[in-house]
Amino acid sequence: SAFFSASEAALFYLREPDLRALARGNRAQRLAERLLSDPDRLLSAVLFWNLVTNITYFAIVSIVAIQLDRIRDVGQSAVVGFTLGSLLAIIFFSELLPKTLAVLKPRSLAKLVGLPLSAAVRMVDPLMPMLQSINLISRRLIWPNFESEPSMEISDLERAIEHSGND
């Protein structure tokens, strides 16, 4: 989970100079740069694997908590403490810490995750039509009138400054 969270943050935090440097780098670096050519595919795959990993983690935590609850010498507060500790551990070690580190050094991390992440994305490719359909249906149900805005260009900013006047 930490791997996928950090990968997502690092790759989507890259800027144009970083992408150009990765495109000229070794195979793993070029793979990382190419993953961003289809950001929807990348994000869908990362979210899929992060979900699978987290579900597996919570299944294991649940089994351990049930086993702890069956032991007579272990009190209910220990079971609750274990469960809450497990939740806090996954939040901190699989979300907060990896994403924070990835944002601080996105290019360095992108060099490391390119090869394994591209393999993980390819493994999800057979499921991609289904994931895209679910995404489309949910967008139409939740945000039926949502229209994405085009990216701003430098010329748009220049025109905004020209029209802003003295204020």
Side-chain angles (χ1 to χ4, degrees):
S1 183
F3 169 78
F4 292 111
S5 294
S7 298
E8 174 191 358
L11 290 176
F12 284 102
Y13 204 76
L14 293 171
R15 300 295 172 240
E16 196 58 40
D18 300 321
L19 295 172
R20 283 193 300 269
L22 289 173
R24 293 186 307 268
N26 63 28
R27 181 173 181 245
Q29 293 166 342
R30 290 190 310 270
L31 284 171
E33 189 269 337
R34 267 189 249 134
L35 285 170
L36 287 166
S37 66
D38 190 352
D40 288 339
R41 174 180 174 240
L42 173 62
L43 187 59
S44 294
V46 165
L47 293 176
F48 173 83
W49 284 116
N50 207 355
L51 181 63
V52 167
T53 306
N54 289 343
I55 288 172
T56 303
Y57 175 81
F58 283 112
I60 293 168
V61 166
S62 297
I63 291 168
V64 171
I66 290 168
Q67 294 300 321
L68 282 174
D69 193 41
R70 290 181 180 163
I71 299 172
R72 290 194 175 117
D73 295 341
V74 177
Q76 192 67 30
S77 59
V79 175
V80 170
F82 170 76
T83 306
L84 287 177
S86 298
L87 175 63
L88 293 175
I90 198 167
I91 291 170
F92 182 76
F93 292 111
S94 295
E95 293 296 329
L96 296 175
L97 183 63
K99 286 184 178 185
T100 300
L101 296 175
V103 165
L104 293 174
K105 296 282 187 179
R107 191 189 309 178
S108 299
L109 189 63
K111 294 174 185 179
L112 299 174
V113 302
L115 195 59
L117 190 58
S118 68
V121 170
R122 278 195 310 275
M123 289 171 61
V124 176
D125 276 343
L127 299 174
M128 208 51 74
M130 180 188 66
L131 294 175
Q132 290 170 336
S133 296
I134 291 169
N135 184 16
L136 178 64
I137 291 168
S138 64
R139 275 196 322 225
R140 287 187 177 170
L141 289 174
I142 298 171
W143 299 287
N145 298 323
F146 180 77
E147 293 180 28
S148 60
E149 295 182 23
S151 299
M152 288 188 76
E153 301 291 330
I154 299 288
S155 60
D156 297 330
L157 293 174
E158 290 171 349
R159 279 197 313 273
I161 292 170
E162 288 173 10
H163 294 317
S164 68
N166 293 334
D167 57 344

